Amino acid sequence: MAATTTIEPRTAPKAVGPRRRKPMWAVVQRVLQYALMVLLALFCVVPFAWVALTAVDADGGPTVSLPAFTLDNFVRFFTDGATPRLFLNSVIVSFAATALNLACGVLGAYALSRYRFRGRRTFMFAILLIRVIPPPATIVALYLLMVRIELDDSYLGLILVEASAALPITLWLLKGTIDAIPYQLEEAAWLDGCSRFGTIRRIILPLVGPGLGAAAMLTFMAVWGDFLTPLVLLQSPDLYPLSIGLFRSFTAFNQVDWGVLAASAVVYMAPPAVLYLFLRRHLMRSSLGGAVKA
């Protein structure tokens, strides 16, 4: 018997009517949204534009204008007797405090992640509570403590305070990263004869890279941009960081060198930007890629 085929009748395409125009209130709302976005963008961009243009302007002033291009402002920044010292002080304090913060943070986060003890959860939330308290509320007591142990007006005292202030965030961040590392990796290392610190150095540190990068970035930016702590703890101008140097230059309103001030601001923004570019790929890299196979 021959097979019979049935052909379904084609359905006529639906007629497409004219597109409905948006109501007037929707158009007005969209225009207002874009106008607000433009205003916010200008509010954010104009200060950076002033800094960038005035830094290369031979006749820089407190207004945004097309510059008479020159690099003399940067030359004067690095050849002046005071400004290079301010920059060096910021570099020393920021890098030293970041290194100390990460060293203490790794060990503390490892202990909070791997050891179980009574009151551990309460202790962790108590550490985080430190960040809730505004710094000005404790700065006087902190200054009196530094005076009592004779660490005021010194690199060491400022580094200890800055590293301790950023430690709670580092502990929480690294603890979560270490929690994601399988415990079986450490057990395998112990069977091979590694000690506890050897396991941390050979297993934990290579896998905790993204967490370390994020903690380093947050700590460095907090220390680099801190103004209140060095202002209170330091009395010697030779120890001032660049943040205080910018403030002192701006407060002398009748003697402001706008070109050098803008060049100082550009130099002040450079280290965090460079650190971000250096750590960006490490922050995006998976910490456990290929470590454990199913």
Side-chain angles (χ1 to χ4, degrees):
M1 182 181 293
T4 59
T5 59
T6 58
I7 300 176
E8 296 181 359
R10 292 185 177 180
T11 58
K14 295 181 179 180
V16 179
R19 298 180 61 182
R20 298 179 60 182
R21 299 182 60 182
K22 294 183 178 180
M24 183 59 67
W25 67 268
V27 177
V28 174
Q29 184 181 17
R30 180 62 59 87
V31 172
L32 292 177
Q33 288 176 351
Y34 280 108
L36 181 60
M37 292 173 60
V38 171
L39 291 176
L40 291 176
L42 290 176
F43 181 78
C44 297
V45 170
V46 168
F48 290 99
W50 177 85
V51 170
L53 295 176
T54 307
V56 294
D57 192 356
D59 304 317
T63 59
V64 179
S65 60
L66 293 178
F69 185 81
T70 181
L71 294 178
D72 290 341
N73 295 325
F74 291 96
V75 173
R76 283 189 292 162
F77 174 86
F78 286 105
T79 56
D80 185 83
T83 49
R85 180 67 183 181
L86 297 173
F87 181 76
L88 180 62
N89 291 338
S90 294
V91 170
I92 292 174
V93 173
S94 298
F95 278 97
T98 301
L100 179 60
N101 176 273
L102 294 181
C104 296
V106 169
L107 298 177
Y110 181 83
L112 292 173
S113 176
R114 294 300 193 240
Y115 292 96
R116 298 293 183 267
F117 53 88
R118 181 175 298 178
R120 182 175 68 97
R121 186 179 181 86
T122 304
F123 176 70
M124 290 180 59
F125 281 103
I127 292 176
L128 193 61
L129 181 63
I130 299 176
R131 298 297 300 174
V132 179
I133 302 175
T138 58
I139 193 64
V140 175
L142 187 61
Y143 171 74
L144 296 176
L145 176 62
M146 291 292 106
V147 171
R148 181 65 60 88
I149 61 178
E150 299 181 356
L151 287 180
D152 62 309
D153 198 24
S154 65
Y155 278 138
L156 180 58
L158 182 59
I159 290 170
L160 291 175
V161 171
E162 296 286 10
S164 302
L167 190 57
I169 300 299
T170 301
L171 287 174
W172 273 82
L173 184 62
L174 293 182
K175 179 192 176 298
T177 307
I178 296 175
D179 285 342
I181 299 176
Y183 195 67
Q184 292 81 355
L185 293 176
E186 296 181 63
E187 292 178 338
W190 295 334
L191 292 176
D192 290 338
C194 274
S195 62
R196 178 74 70 172
F197 284 99
T199 304
I200 295 175
R201 181 172 59 88
R202 298 183 180 183
I203 303 297
I204 300 300
L205 287 180
L207 298 178
V208 82
L212 279 176
M217 188 69 198
L218 293 174
T219 303
F220 183 86
M221 291 183 63
V223 179
W224 185 264
D226 190 15
F227 172 78
L228 179 62
T229 304
L231 179 66
V232 174
L233 296 184
L234 300 179
Q235 291 84 40
S236 301
D238 293 339
L239 300 178
Y240 284 162
L242 190 54
S243 57
I244 296 183
L246 289 173
F247 171 74
R248 290 167 63 89
S249 298
F250 182 74
T251 51
F253 186 80
N254 295 327
Q255 302 175 356
V256 174
D257 189 338
W258 296 104
V260 176
L261 180 63
S264 303
V266 171
V267 175
Y268 188 55
M269 291 186 290
V274 172
L275 184 64
Y276 169 76
L277 293 176
F278 177 75
L279 295 177
R280 181 178 57 181
R281 61 176 182 174
H282 298 284
L283 297 178
M284 301 301 297
R285 184 183 303 170
S286 173
S287 63
L288 297 177
V292 178
K293 294 183 180 180

